[in-house]
Amino acid sequence: MSSRRVRDLILASIRNGTIDIDAQLVEEDLMIMFNSSRGSVRAALNELSEAGVVIRRPRIGTRVNRRDLGVALGDVSGTGGEQVQIQVTDQCIVPTFPLIRSRLRIDDDVVRLVENSFIARGEIIGMRSAYFSPRFTADPNLLRGKPMSMARTLAEFFGVAPGGASVSIGAESADERTARLLDVRSGDTLLSREILYTTADGTPLEIVFDRFRADRVRFESQVDNSDVTWFPEANSAPAAHESATSGTIAHDPDGSPPADLAQSG
């Protein structure tokens, strides 16, 4: 098994708790667990060490250092019951511009901007720039110190029933200001996310731009297709025997040619 696959499996095992935080990782055990060579296991552990997931010390061994935080794809809440809180870093009124006016379907000359940091496990893991109509005048500091979710934000800050979210995710390099705020190096890769939130009746409410530390956060989502009914297209299955003009000899399920062809010689 390649080192990339071993790395994926070790990381997934740490994420779901199959391998505990502070657990000692022994190369021989991992070789058996993942049916892999020592070289692949060692390369995978070195990659995880560079990412800070494990700590490797000569003559001491390898220990799991931390697991990244799962954040709901369209929300700010941590998955698995972990809490995320906010700290407001700036709020002001700024001139609106075509993108915001179009996405929010507003005609305001100005728009309200609130910037905040996301805090989990005692450190800043991300930041958000949120734009919305200035008719919403509540103080975002009222949400400070509370476990965050967009349902709470929409109810307590905006005073509306939550609706849907349109999400776009990507990656970008940290600029100097963002790097200082997130305590990373300028140029480090960040997870980026743009979300348009709507009310229960589908009215656009807020557009946000998020950046998260890629070494601390992963996005998670669950999709349920159990209510989807699938009907195979008619005539989608191949015929038992192809036409003689097709140039292809059909085979019976056991792999042998049809009896009429087998006996024709």
Side-chain angles (χ1 to χ4, degrees):
M1 182 180 291
S2 70
S3 61
R4 173 180 56 81
R5 293 174 181 172
V6 174
R7 178 189 181 279
D8 289 344
L9 292 171
I10 294 175
L11 188 57
S13 299
I14 295 171
R15 284 172 172 168
N16 69 16
T18 303
I19 298 177
D20 293 328
I21 300 297
D22 290 328
Q24 290 291 127
L25 300 181
V26 180
E27 290 184 1
E28 288 77 9
D29 293 343
L30 296 175
M31 290 166 58
I32 296 172
M33 183 184 299
F34 300 118
N35 190 27
S36 187
S37 67
R38 183 180 299 276
S40 293
V41 168
R42 187 165 292 174
L45 291 176
N46 286 336
E47 291 180 27
L48 293 172
S49 177
E50 292 177 2
V53 177
V54 302
I55 296 176
R56 308 202 74 190
R57 292 192 175 95
R59 296 183 297 277
I60 295 179
T62 302
R63 177 179 62 82
V64 177
N65 181 41
R66 60 172 172 77
R67 65 168 59 96
D68 49 14
L69 175 70
V71 172
L73 181 63
D75 209 318
V76 295
S77 56
T79 59
E82 295 203 60
Q83 295 185 359
V84 177
Q85 298 180 345
I86 68 165
Q87 178 177 331
V88 178
T89 56
D90 192 18
Q91 55 176 317
C92 55
I93 299 294
V94 298
T96 191
F97 30 93
L99 171 69
I100 302 299
R101 188 179 289 116
S102 172
R103 298 295 302 276
L104 295 182
R105 302 179 197 167
I106 59 175
D107 296 322
D108 300 318
D109 294 329
V110 295
V111 67
R112 192 172 177 194
L113 166 63
V114 173
E115 291 189 337
N116 61 260
S117 300
F118 296 120
I119 301 172
R121 299 174 180 170
E123 64 177 345
I124 296 176
I125 60 169
M127 56 183 294
R128 164 170 288 185
S129 298
Y131 297 87
F132 49 90
S133 171
R135 67 187 178 87
F136 297 102
T137 60
D139 183 359
N141 285 296
L142 296 175
L143 300 173
R144 185 174 181 176
K146 298 180 179 180
M148 286 306 302
S149 69
M150 283 311 299
R152 177 189 293 274
T153 301
L154 296 179
E156 296 185 14
F157 181 81
F158 289 102
V160 300
S166 175
V167 185
S168 176
I169 59 175
E172 64 181 57
S173 298
D175 56 47
E176 291 186 4
R177 178 177 179 272
T178 303
R180 287 194 302 272
L181 289 171
L182 297 182
D183 193 24
V184 299
R185 294 171 299 183
S186 179
D188 278 359
T189 300
L190 304 176
L191 299 178
S192 61
R193 183 175 67 170
E194 175 187 333
I195 309 178
L196 175 68
Y197 291 107
T198 61
T199 61
D201 64 2
T203 302
L205 179 69
E206 176 187 39
I207 184 169
V208 304
F209 300 90
D210 296 336
R211 293 165 184 83
F212 290 93
R213 289 185 57 160
D215 63 341
R216 294 290 191 271
V217 168
R218 69 184 185 277
F219 295 130
E220 293 189 339
S221 177
Q222 293 186 349
V223 178
D224 183 3
N225 291 323
S226 60
D227 60 344
V228 176
T229 304
W230 178 75
F231 296 99
E233 296 181 7
N235 302 322
S236 60
H241 303 298
E242 295 287 346
S243 168
T245 60
S246 67
T248 301
I249 298 178
H251 287 71
D252 285 330
D254 64 357
S256 61
D260 55 344
L261 291 179
Q263 299 173 2
S264 64

